[in-house]
Amino acid sequence: MEGHAREVFCNDPACDKALRLNYCGNAISTTKYTVANFIPKSLFEQFRRVANFFFLIVACVSFSPLAPYRAVSIALPLVVVISATMAKEAVNECLIFSQDVKVNNRKVDVYDGCSTFTSTEWKRLRVGDIVKVTKDEYFPADLLLISSSSEDGCCYVETANLDGETNLKRKQCLSVTSAVQGAHSFQKFKGLIKCEDPNEKLYSFIGTMYYEGSLYSLSPQQILLRGSKLKNTHHAYGVVVFTGHDTKVMQNATDPPSKRSKIEIRMDKIIYILFGVLILISCTGSLFFGLKTKEDIHHGMISRWYLRPDRTSLLFDPERASLSAFFHFLTGLMLYGCLIPISLYISIEIVKVLQSTFINQDQDMYCTEVDQPARARTSNLNEELGQVNTILSDKTGTLTCNSMEFLKCSIAGVDYGWGNTVVDRRNVKGFSFIDDRLMSGSWVNERHHDLIQMFFRVLAVCHTAIPVVDSKYDDISYEAESPDEATFVVAARELGFKFYEKTQESISLHEFEPSLGRMVDRTYKILCTLLFSSSRKRMSVIIVTEEGQILIFCKGADSAIFSRLAKDEQMYVPATRDHINEYSESGLRTMVVAYRMVNEEEFNIWYEEFSKASNSVSCNRDEMVDAAAEKIERDLILLGATAVEDRLQKGVPECIDKLAQAGIKIWVLTGDKLETAINIGFESVARQLREAQSEANILKRSSICCALVIDGNSLVFALSRVLESSFFDLASNCVSVICCRTSPKQKALVTRLVKKNTGKTTLAIGDGANDVSMLQESDIGVGISGVEGMQAVMASDFAIAQFRYLDRLLLVHGHWCYRRITAMICYIFYKNITFGFTLFWFEVHASFTAQPAYNDWYIACYNVVFTSLPVIALGVFDKDVSSRLCLKYPMMHQEGVQNVFFSWPRILCWMINGVFSSVVIYFFSSSAIVDQAFRKDGRVAGLDVLGITMYTCVVWTVNCQLALYINYFTWIQHLFIWCSISFWYVFLVVYGLFPPSISTSAYWAFLEAAAPSPVYWTATLAAVIMALLPYFAYKSRSAFSSDCCQDVRGKCHEDGLSNPAEQ
């Protein structure tokens, strides 16, 4: 078994050979960190961020004489921010760790090797152990089914934890082990399993089992996966094959691709710009400092005697002015470091988590039918929701219900069914078929009643459904792996072919017999089942009738069945094709049904070859099995075709209309058929693209909307490097694009093409496993918890119950989150520029001596204490319009698509506003205080009073600027803004009472000097008013409003924007 060398010693896990293999234990750990590496690894994650790394360097250098203020005042804010982030990660890790401990300590019955089963923790399981799992228990590892409480050795499992599918799946043990029952039977049970190495393929397994001198081939039918649950079976026995992180579910537990919003990427660029500004002003200061220092001693004359240039050091040496200038540059980096907002990342993380909580708790996105709320599975992309330009959607289960209704059928070239595609006319789930020619046994009067009988017999036999008998109500329901299969079995039942029992070797029907004129029980022996796969696109069952006739029943896609029909059995093909096209044009899903008789000699020869392929242990076993199946699935006789309807979900048309009004383009990528699809070559596709582009341009000039429909065969060529640009240009000129018969890979490629060429945000939405690659490739992946399972949800960034909630997710939460995050980021940079440049203007007037204008604790507390909470309140609670108006005027979504509120001109306006505020604050404060008597005794104000006055002006200005910007006030915002300002005064009083060794320049400065002086209060008031004037000027000229949506916003205002109750 080359490449599949795993050996499992059944019921003997402690033998020497087994111990030498050293397989991993069954304990799992899904945490990102361990106790040993949490601190170093978490610190590494934090300091990968450029801003945090910068402050780490500054904190380290602050312990040297270069620091302009005490080291603790620099290090403490960094410690607070990093500690808060690490604490958040630690809490998350503890929750995950506790869940791991809970799972690892679950109990299961394990055979002790003697004669009993003992209860053992999951984490103690070893490869080769025999375990007993009872009904409704989870399988603790990947097991090979040995036997079950059922006589035929089958059991039923639910795989909702793996793929979300609640449909029961039938598992079947090998017939040679089905008799091994009870503890005593396992005393002599020994076997050797050789199988594939651990891998992530949930639905694949290749291996063999040596048992009692014979070799038996193993398949996925015998494998019970960890995390799945035993259902409808009292108990099952299995041998452990894969443990712990070798199990398939853990092999699939890979981290999703890392996604970052465009806002966050631009935010990093702004930080780099601020770093450039920081280096520039530090260089400017060091240059002037070096030139001035060099002139301090000239020909023995001392110019600035008060600096004592005769007592030199490396930091101030006129003889080595260049070296002093370099050290001054390093000091300047620390002095102006407050330009970089240290609390930026943690503030945004807190805000995004709270925004995600609002999404999760939105009652208007809660689906009562399935008891599912909306879920933000990541908080990194909240604002990206407000910038979606293109939606790429799956159809089945996403736009439609994936709850099939049997509506029409074509049998022997005759169209049957008058079913209504709008209103159900029967009260049977899955069956909306109406036609008096077939119902109530009337089909026996039809000309081709024998073909009709065979048609519904195929539907009743060719499937993998499981009958669930409700003895209380004498009713039978069906559990199937897909909604289609259940629908076909229900349709057969309603038309007289009731499937009621299935074993490993037979299937029983209660069917109408025309010759007897009554219902009879018939049992068909199952010789072989050829399962459906995405590559085969068909399923077949070979059975033996009670009369000994061998038949092969086949159903599948038209492309798979028509090519396998017998050449002399083409009589009904044209009419059936026409009916299939009609059904497809009505939006129905179609499937073709066929059969043929097989003589015994042919079957025996074929089955020998098929068994050889099935028992193969090579890597290409699946290909060998498919090749063998091809040889029996030939010369088929066409019976007809089915048409089932997968209806649009509730609210889908209204939701699509809202999204279209918002200017969002919608592409539908589906695996369903395109009735006019043909196999065409590269040149033909290129020619058709050119012709379609010309026609689209003409229609566009005539203001006529057009749509593009393309199938998977054409996409193969359209997505090539030569034609992809032409394809995208054509698609861009269309209102909607529909891609039919697309594979999962093609869905991802189309998504990548749109994302690359538009440069704007793409959102993919789907509900099935085939949509996972598309969801991961897009900027935002939205999963729908539908009938096809939870794999799409598990790979998504956001999860909703139905498509109709997408408009609220984008137009309401997307709009709010985009506005809040962009305003928050702009404001954070504004307040830091305002504060940082007041230091720079003071340095200009102080000859760049690196003397800080503020007390070091003022600087340390600015971002962490006095301005942190108001900006968080802005990011969480601000609301420019209500949810009703967001949905009433969808065009406002274009503000996010065009990035109006985070464009470079707008960012520049905020920066200029910050510089202007700093100029006003510094010059108003210094002009009012420095050159005149300030205290009652006639003394002038010192640096302590100037620093307090400037800082007071900064705190008032930035908080009032925020208050003026906020669209919608809550009591929390009022509390945070005015308490932040008030706390500054409390801090001044309390901190000033500390001894001078601690409070330094703040010692009694406020109570003794600043507070009693009218000049201090007057200067503060005048500086704040002047600093806020630019905002009023821009507001009056609508500079802070969207040009593209001004009229819409005007309508919003007229429609009740100012109404607090609506907000």
Side-chain angles (χ1 to χ4, degrees):
M1 288 187 63
E2 185 179 352
H4 305 290
R6 188 178 184 89
E7 295 184 343
V8 178
F9 296 87
C10 302
N11 205 18
D12 195 12
C15 68
D16 292 338
K17 290 183 179 180
L19 293 175
R20 282 198 296 270
L21 294 173
N22 196 28
Y23 293 132
C24 71
N26 200 43
I28 62 165
S29 174
T30 58
T31 57
K32 182 179 179 180
Y33 306 98
T34 65
V35 175
N37 70 14
F38 173 75
I39 292 179
K41 191 173 180 180
S42 181
L43 286 174
F44 174 75
E45 291 292 330
Q46 296 307 313
F47 290 118
R48 287 174 64 185
R49 292 172 166 172
V50 61
N52 289 347
F53 183 73
F54 167 76
F55 282 108
L56 175 64
I57 299 298
V58 169
C60 294
V61 178
S62 66
F63 289 93
S64 71
L66 294 172
Y69 27 69
R70 288 174 293 183
V72 65
S73 64
I74 300 177
L76 187 60
L78 179 64
V79 170
V80 169
V81 170
I82 297 299
S83 299
T85 307
M86 291 178 65
K88 171 176 164 285
E89 289 195 349
V91 170
N92 291 337
E93 287 295 289
C94 286
L95 293 174
I96 297 172
F97 177 74
S98 63
Q99 183 65 29
D100 289 344
V101 171
K102 183 179 178 180
V103 171
N104 289 331
N105 289 328
R106 286 177 179 171
K107 298 295 183 67
V108 67
D109 291 336
V110 180
Y111 186 64
D112 62 3
C114 300
S115 59
T116 59
F117 282 87
T118 58
S119 182
T120 305
E121 295 169 340
W122 279 23
K123 62 185 178 183
R124 301 188 185 280
L125 285 183
R126 299 167 297 178
V127 173
D129 276 334
I130 303 294
V131 300
K132 178 184 179 181
V133 180
T134 56
K135 183 180 179 181
D136 291 328
E137 285 186 347
Y138 290 100
F139 298 110
D142 288 353
L143 312 177
L144 175 73
L145 180 61
I146 299 299
S147 62
S148 72
S149 55
S150 300
E151 291 182 5
D152 59 356
C154 74
C155 69
Y156 300 100
V157 300
E158 181 186 271
T159 59
N161 278 359
L162 305 181
D163 54 19
E165 295 183 14
T166 56
N167 300 319
L168 299 185
K169 296 174 177 59
R170 188 174 188 268
K171 298 292 182 177
Q172 181 67 56
C173 70
L174 296 173
S175 57
V176 294
T177 63
S178 61
V180 182
Q181 297 279 347
H184 294 286
S185 301
F186 283 103
Q187 283 184 328
K188 298 180 180 180
F189 179 78
K190 297 291 181 182
L192 174 64
I193 298 172
K194 289 188 176 182
C195 63
E196 62 187 8
D197 296 322
N199 60 72
E200 75 285 356
K201 299 175 183 177
L202 291 174
Y203 308 109
S204 171
F205 183 81
I206 299 174
T208 56
M209 180 176 181
Y210 294 87
Y211 178 63
E212 293 183 344
S214 300
L215 177 66
Y216 300 94
S217 176
L218 304 176
S219 72
Q221 275 294 100
Q222 288 89 46
I223 299 301
L224 308 172
L225 299 180
R226 176 185 177 124
S228 54
K229 183 188 289 188
L230 184 66
K231 302 288 286 186
N232 289 10
T233 310
H234 185 269
H235 64 264
Y237 297 101
V239 59
V240 177
V241 178
F242 297 116
T243 52
H245 289 274
D246 285 345
T247 58
K248 290 183 180 291
V249 64
M250 295 305 297
Q251 290 283 309
N252 275 275
T254 56
D255 294 329
S258 177
K259 295 182 180 180
R260 298 184 69 205
S261 71
K262 292 177 173 58
I263 298 297
E264 189 174 346
I265 294 171
R266 181 165 290 188
M267 182 183 73
D268 287 346
K269 294 179 181 178
I270 299 173
I271 291 178
Y272 290 129
I273 290 173
L274 288 182
F275 271 121
V277 173
L278 173 61
I279 293 172
L280 178 62
I281 62 176
S282 297
C283 287
T284 302
S286 63
L287 177 63
F288 279 96
F289 176 79
L291 295 175
K292 202 70 176 176
T293 300
K294 191 173 183 179
E295 296 173 356
D296 275 336
I297 298 180
H298 187 65
H299 299 300
M301 299 295 292
I302 298 177
S303 58
R304 293 187 295 178
W305 55 269
Y306 51 86
L307 295 178
R308 299 303 302 271
D310 53 325
R311 295 182 179 179
T312 62
S313 68
L314 286 176
L315 305 181
F316 177 62
D317 187 355
E319 299 297 331
R320 292 182 291 180
S322 298
L323 184 60
S324 297
F326 173 73
F327 286 125
H328 184 278
F329 169 75
L330 299 179
T331 302
L333 291 178
M334 288 183 281
L335 181 64
Y336 308 125
C338 54
L339 282 171
I340 312 299
I342 190 173
S343 60
L344 175 64
Y345 291 115
I346 185 64
S347 298
I348 290 178
E349 284 184 11
I350 292 172
V351 165
K352 287 187 174 184
V353 169
L354 293 175
Q355 288 177 347
S356 298
T357 302
F358 289 156
I359 293 175
N360 298 342
Q361 295 179 351
D362 189 342
Q363 293 297 313
D364 291 324
M365 291 199 295
Y366 173 76
C367 184
T368 55
E369 293 94 329
V370 293
D371 190 27
Q372 288 282 348
R375 280 282 176 263
R377 303 187 70 253
T378 178
S379 60
N380 295 337
L381 304 172
N382 295 350
E383 67 275 19
E384 199 89 331
L385 292 170
Q387 295 186 281
V388 172
N389 179 65
T390 306
I391 294 174
L392 301 106
S393 174
D394 176 43
K395 184 180 80 71
T396 305
T398 302
L399 299 175
T400 60
C401 300
N402 205 9
S403 178
M404 308 302 174
E405 295 286 331
F406 189 89
L407 214 61
K408 296 184 178 184
C409 61
S410 172
I411 307 175
V414 180
D415 182 22
Y416 294 98
W418 307 324
N420 195 308
T421 60
V422 179
V423 180
D424 287 339
R425 297 175 60 184
R426 287 179 62 88
N427 195 26
V428 178
K429 183 180 179 182
F431 189 73
S432 296
F433 182 85
I434 299 292
D435 196 321
D436 295 337
R437 293 175 294 175
L438 296 185
M439 301 185 68
S440 302
S442 299
W443 57 267
V444 298
N445 301 318
E446 290 292 292
R447 178 184 173 190
H448 301 289
H449 63 85
D450 55 334
L451 295 181
I452 295 174
Q453 181 184 32
M454 188 62 73
F455 180 88
F456 289 110
R457 186 177 288 164
V458 172
L459 295 186
V461 172
C462 186
H463 56 77
T464 57
I466 302 164
V468 180
V469 180
D470 188 344
S471 56
K472 182 177 180 181
Y473 296 101
D474 191 24
D475 187 27
I476 294 181
S477 59
Y478 302 104
E479 293 282 354
E481 294 187 16
S482 72
D484 304 66
E485 282 213 324
T487 299
F488 296 138
V489 179
V490 168
R493 181 192 68 190
E494 293 299 311
L495 291 168
F497 296 80
K498 185 178 181 180
F499 157 54
Y500 66 91
E501 187 179 44
K502 190 174 188 178
T503 67
Q504 185 178 6
E505 298 177 346
S506 67
I507 184 169
S508 299
L509 304 183
H510 190 59
E511 63 178 71
F512 186 79
E513 175 51 52
S515 60
L516 300 177
R518 60 180 174 84
M519 302 294 289
V520 297
D521 289 336
R522 279 206 173 96
T523 299
Y524 300 93
K525 183 180 179 181
I526 300 174
L527 298 180
C528 186
T529 300
L530 305 174
L531 295 174
F532 176 90
S533 70
S534 57
S535 58
R536 282 169 40 78
K537 297 182 180 179
R538 63 192 182 278
M539 175 190 177
S540 298
V541 173
I542 304 175
I543 56 102
V544 178
T545 67
E546 292 177 344
E547 295 77 20
Q549 191 177 43
I550 301 176
L551 300 173
I552 176 170
F553 292 162
C554 188
K555 67 179 184 183
D558 55 349
S559 60
I561 303 298
F562 282 142
S563 61
R564 289 169 174 79
L565 296 178
K567 292 183 179 180
D568 55 350
E569 293 291 342
Q570 303 284 325
M571 180 178 173
Y572 305 120
V573 170
T576 305
R577 283 190 186 275
D578 291 339
H579 293 153
I580 289 175
N581 290 337
E582 291 174 10
Y583 300 156
S584 299
E585 289 171 358
S586 300
L588 304 180
R589 292 162 64 107
T590 61
M591 188 191 68
V592 178
V593 179
Y595 85 108
R596 82 174 173 98
M597 290 178 283
V598 181
N599 64 60
E600 186 174 355
E601 182 182 358
E602 178 190 1
F603 173 77
N604 290 335
I605 295 173
W606 172 84
Y607 191 70
E608 183 179 352
E609 181 182 350
F610 179 77
S611 299
K612 184 178 179 181
S614 299
N615 293 328
S616 170
V617 294
S618 63
C619 298
N620 63 337
R621 185 177 74 174
D622 291 342
E623 289 78 3
M624 294 172 64
V625 170
D626 288 349
E630 289 273 358
K631 296 181 179 180
I632 197 72
E633 295 172 324
R634 60 179 178 81
D635 298 332
L636 299 174
I637 300 172
L638 178 65
L639 290 172
T642 62
V644 297
E645 182 186 25
D646 189 6
R647 298 182 178 175
L648 286 177
Q649 293 178 8
K650 176 183 175 183
V652 166
E654 294 82 359
C655 178
I656 291 176
D657 181 55
K658 280 275 189 277
L659 297 173
Q661 290 180 45
I664 299 175
K665 294 183 178 180
I666 299 178
W667 292 40
V668 178
L669 312 179
T670 177
D672 287 351
K673 79 183 293 295
L674 171 65
E675 68 279 0
T676 56
I678 54 174
N679 291 322
I680 47 180
F682 180 88
E683 292 299 329
S684 178
V685 172
R687 176 178 52 78
Q688 290 189 29
L689 285 175
R690 289 194 298 269
E691 293 174 356
Q693 179 67 65
S694 301
E695 187 174 349
N697 291 334
I698 295 172
L699 293 173
K700 189 175 182 181
R701 288 193 293 269
S702 304
S703 300
I704 299 175
C705 298
C706 59
L708 171 65
V709 181
I710 185 171
D711 74 323
N713 293 326
S714 302
L715 269 179
V716 173
F717 304 105
L719 293 175
S720 65
R721 289 186 178 181
V722 179
L723 295 181
E724 66 175 11
S725 297
S726 301
F727 169 59
F728 179 77
D729 291 341
L730 172 60
S732 300
N733 288 326
C734 299
V735 175
S736 60
V737 180
I738 301 174
C739 301
C740 306
R741 287 284 174 91
T742 51
S743 65
K745 184 177 180 180
Q746 284 179 324
K747 290 184 177 182
L749 291 175
V750 171
T751 304
R752 184 182 302 171
L753 176 69
V754 175
K755 186 169 70 172
K756 181 181 71 174
N757 284 275
T758 61
K760 295 183 178 180
T761 304
T762 59
L763 180 147
I765 179 169
D767 74 317
N770 60 331
D771 301 316
V772 169
S773 56
M774 175 177 70
L775 298 183
Q776 293 182 338
E777 181 64 41
S778 63
D779 294 306
I780 304 173
V782 177
I784 291 183
S785 47
V787 180
E788 290 190 25
M790 296 291 286
Q791 283 183 301
V793 169
M794 291 186 287
S796 67
D797 305 303
F798 297 89
I800 55 178
Q802 292 184 355
F803 186 90
R804 61 189 165 107
Y805 299 118
L806 188 62
D807 59 350
R808 184 171 180 85
L809 182 66
L810 300 188
L811 305 184
V812 177
H813 289 285
H815 177 78
W816 286 345
C817 291
Y818 168 74
R819 284 293 303 266
R820 291 165 177 170
I821 290 294
T822 55
M824 177 184 175
I825 295 172
C826 288
Y827 172 76
I828 288 175
F829 288 126
Y830 156 79
K831 71 182 181 66
N832 278 68
I833 289 174
T834 299
F835 183 62
F837 268 86
T838 56
L839 286 168
F840 179 72
W841 303 132
F842 177 81
E843 286 301 302
V844 172
H845 280 243
S847 297
F848 295 101
T849 55
Q851 172 66 45
Y854 304 121
N855 182 287
D856 46 8
W857 280 106
Y858 298 173
I859 298 174
C861 294
Y862 180 73
N863 280 307
V864 179
V865 179
F866 302 127
T867 61
S868 58
L869 292 181
V871 76
I872 290 176
L874 169 69
V876 175
F877 298 109
D878 193 35
K879 189 188 299 183
D880 61 330
V881 291
S882 67
S883 59
R884 184 182 71 85
L885 294 176
C886 284
L887 294 172
K888 186 174 182 179
Y889 300 103
M891 193 62 190
M892 285 193 297
H893 180 78
Q894 284 299 309
E895 292 176 335
V897 175
Q898 298 173 22
N899 206 11
V900 171
F901 294 102
F902 208 57
S903 61
W904 285 113
R906 190 178 182 86
I907 294 168
L908 186 61
C909 285
W910 276 101
M911 290 182 170
I912 293 173
N913 191 25
V915 174
F916 176 82
S917 297
S918 69
V919 171
V920 170
I921 289 170
Y922 176 74
F923 287 101
F924 260 76
S925 301
S926 60
S927 300
I929 291 175
V930 173
D931 296 328
Q932 56 184 314
F934 188 82
R935 299 175 183 257
K936 291 181 179 180
D937 56 5
R939 286 184 295 166
V940 297
L943 178 60
D944 53 351
V945 175
L946 177 62
I948 289 176
T949 305
M950 290 170 56
Y951 200 95
T952 302
C953 292
V954 170
V955 171
W956 269 100
T957 298
V958 298
N959 280 289
C960 288
Q961 173 72 73
L962 182 61
L964 291 172
Y965 181 83
I966 288 175
N967 295 284
Y968 172 59
F969 263 105
T970 63
W971 67 268
I972 296 177
Q973 289 162 312
H974 276 294
L975 178 70
F976 284 174
I977 291 174
W978 309 123
C979 284
S980 294
I981 296 174
S982 302
F983 189 70
W984 158 241
Y985 291 110
V986 174
F987 174 81
L988 274 177
V989 173
V990 175
Y991 183 53
L993 296 177
F994 282 87
S997 59
I998 298 175
S999 59
T1000 60
S1001 62
Y1003 182 67
W1004 281 87
F1006 179 71
L1007 293 177
E1008 260 191 5
S1013 173
V1015 177
Y1016 165 76
W1017 300 104
T1018 304
T1020 299
L1021 179 62
V1024 171
I1025 292 174
M1026 283 297 297
L1028 295 177
L1029 281 179
Y1031 177 78
F1032 288 108
Y1034 280 115
K1035 188 84 170 179
S1036 63
R1037 298 177 58 186
S1038 300
F1040 282 75
S1041 298
S1042 166
D1043 291 336
C1044 70
C1045 297
Q1046 277 184 357
D1047 53 343
V1048 175
R1049 289 197 164 275
K1051 292 178 182 178
C1052 286
H1053 186 81
E1054 296 170 5
D1055 201 13
L1057 176 60
S1058 58
N1059 184 358
E1062 185 177 86
Q1063 301 282 5

